[in-house]
């Protein structure tokens, strides 16, 4: 690709493309003419994305914490259309836990998906672009929690702070190869990720309708934290990601979009 200003009409790998923010990014990029290499673990969800534009979407099921699957993903994605121009790393998990209840297993699980997999994928993408000499851009999906942790998110927030540093560090070194790396830091976005019960010490997880009611109460509480009383949408984050993919003079930035959450 010679026109570095239009990564969004190039070939872009998107992780977490099965749902939520990654899915919205994939759909937006397709609507702008990109070819999207979509990955996630949910094959049926990926297939429903491919069905929207079979000519423009390729899918690959991969568990990103598995080194072998990750390597296969990179090999396939970098060869399928003759190379990649962009990468959006949206896959992520959260384990809501009080600070004094954090377990090593949950910390490691979040580090694996939220920091280790993105680091290795970004490294491989960087090598690919350096060897092709074409330049390109990556956007990482961080979080405002990486700047201002909220209760029950200390470990998750630490992984996102690491991700922001990763974007800046890679941007510094990869600029010489014409590669830009940025992150978005969304506030509270209405996806499956926020629809969880945040268990306090000694609490037993409710079931059935009680669980549904508890989740709705949790989401209402999150909504009330936002100055406008509404959550963000995956589509709004996707617009910011697309901007950063094509923003020729922007690199090493962490772009906050939080509906004013940070004003609190
Ligand atoms: N929602 C928010 O309020 C919010 C705010 C700030 C930042 N973020 C960040 O935004 C990103 C997307 O979150 P979301 O809200 O869209 O969450 P989501 O709806 O829960 O989607 C998470 C995505 O990550 C993928 N994923 C998770 N673990 C994976 C693994 N081990 N291997 C491969 N794929 C894996 C899932 O794939 P499968 O479903 O196919 O398994 C899914 O596509 C995350 O990095 C999250 O931390 C979210």
């Amino acid at each position: 690709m010679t026109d570095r200003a239009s990564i969004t009409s190039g070939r872009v790998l998107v992780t977490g493309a099965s749902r939520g923010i990654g899915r919205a990014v994939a759909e937006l990029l397709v609507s702008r003419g990109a070819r999207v290499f979509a990955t996630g673990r949910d094959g049926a969800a990926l297939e429903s994305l491919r069905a929207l534009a079979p000519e423009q979407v390729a899918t690959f099921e991969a568990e990103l914490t598995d080194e072998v699957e990750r390597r296969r993903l990179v090999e396939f994605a970098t060869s399928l259309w003759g190379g990649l121009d962009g990468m959006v790393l949206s896959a992520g998990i959260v384990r809501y836990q009080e600070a004094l209840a954090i377990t090593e297993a949950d910390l490691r699980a979040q580090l694996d998906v939220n920091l280790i997999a993105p680091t290795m994928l970004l490294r491989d993408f960087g090598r690919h672009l350096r060897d092709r000499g074409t330049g390109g851009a990556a956007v990482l999906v961080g979080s405002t929690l990486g700047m201002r942790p909220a209760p029950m998110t200390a470990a998750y927030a630490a992984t996102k702070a690491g991700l922001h540093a990763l974007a800046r560090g890679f941007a510094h070194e990869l600029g010489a190869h014409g590669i830009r790396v940025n992150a978005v830091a969304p506030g509270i976005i209405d996806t499956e990720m926020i629809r969880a019960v945040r268990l306090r010490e000694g609490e037993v997880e409710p079931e059935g309708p009680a669980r549904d009611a508890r989740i709705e109460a949790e989401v209402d509480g999150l909504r009330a934290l936002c100055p406008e009383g509404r959550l963000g949408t995956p589509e709004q984050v996707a617009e910011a990601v697309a901007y950063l993919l094509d923003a020729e003079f922007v690199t090493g930035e962490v772009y906050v979009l939080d509906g004013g959450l940070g004003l609190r």
Side-chain angles (χ1 to χ4, degrees):
M1 182 163 133
T2 50
D3 180 5
R4 280 169 44 192
S6 63
I7 304 274
T8 56
S9 59
R11 300 153 295 184
V12 185
L13 170 67
V14 181
T15 74
S18 50
R19 58 192 161 96
I21 293 169
R23 170 79 181 221
V25 169
E27 289 191 16
L28 180 65
L29 294 180
V30 165
S31 77
R32 298 213 177 154
R35 275 177 285 175
V36 172
F37 196 97
T39 186
R41 293 172 301 184
D42 182 340
L46 292 175
E47 182 50 33
S48 74
L49 173 67
R50 204 186 66 81
L52 298 176
E55 306 286 299
Q56 285 173 261
V57 178
T59 64
F60 193 91
E61 284 175 52
E63 165 57 63
L64 292 182
T65 61
D66 185 309
E67 194 182 342
V68 175
E69 290 194 22
R70 233 175 23 233
R71 199 176 317 125
R72 284 202 196 109
L73 166 68
V74 169
E75 280 168 10
F76 191 30
T78 54
S79 59
L80 180 65
W81 292 314
L84 289 172
D85 307 298
M87 176 179 263
V88 178
L89 300 176
S90 185
I93 58 168
V94 62
R95 302 275 166 88
Y96 297 105
Q97 287 175 324
E98 289 178 312
L100 300 186
I102 289 172
T103 66
E104 187 168 327
D106 285 314
L107 171 60
R108 286 189 190 281
Q110 291 173 97
L111 279 168
D112 276 343
V113 183
N114 298 355
L115 191 57
I116 294 174
T119 306
M120 296 298 104
L121 288 172
L122 198 51
R123 178 202 64 183
D124 292 344
F125 178 64
R127 287 176 177 173
H128 167 68
L129 292 183
R130 176 202 59 194
D131 294 348
R132 276 183 36 228
T134 53
V139 177
L140 283 49
V141 182
S143 169
T144 51
L145 292 171
M147 302 157 176
R148 291 180 303 276
M152 309 198 82
T153 65
Y156 170 81
T159 69
K160 290 299 182 178
L163 197 74
H164 299 165
L166 187 72
R168 292 197 176 102
F170 267 71
H172 220 123
E173 291 193 44
L174 300 192
H177 302 292
I179 304 166
R180 293 179 297 97
V181 185
N182 291 290
V184 288
I188 308 168
I189 309 301
D190 198 354
T191 69
E192 283 304 308
M193 179 172 270
I194 64 166
R195 297 183 176 275
V197 177
R198 292 147 179 82
L199 289 177
R200 271 72 184 178
E201 193 177 5
E203 248 191 314
V204 178
E205 174 127 16
E207 292 176 4
R211 184 171 185 280
D212 296 343
R214 171 68 178 272
I215 290 174
E216 279 320 306
E218 301 258 16
V219 173
D220 284 345
L222 295 173
R223 215 174 269 119
L225 293 174
C226 302
E228 287 189 282
R230 61 192 169 108
L231 305 174
T233 67
E235 291 73 23
Q236 289 163 345
V237 181
E239 290 286 348
V241 168
Y243 164 73
L244 288 170
L245 279 175
D246 278 349
E248 276 187 279
F249 200 52
V250 182
T251 192
E253 288 299 328
V254 180
Y255 179 85
V256 173
L257 64 159
D258 70 353
L261 182 68
L263 297 170
R264 290 177 61 83

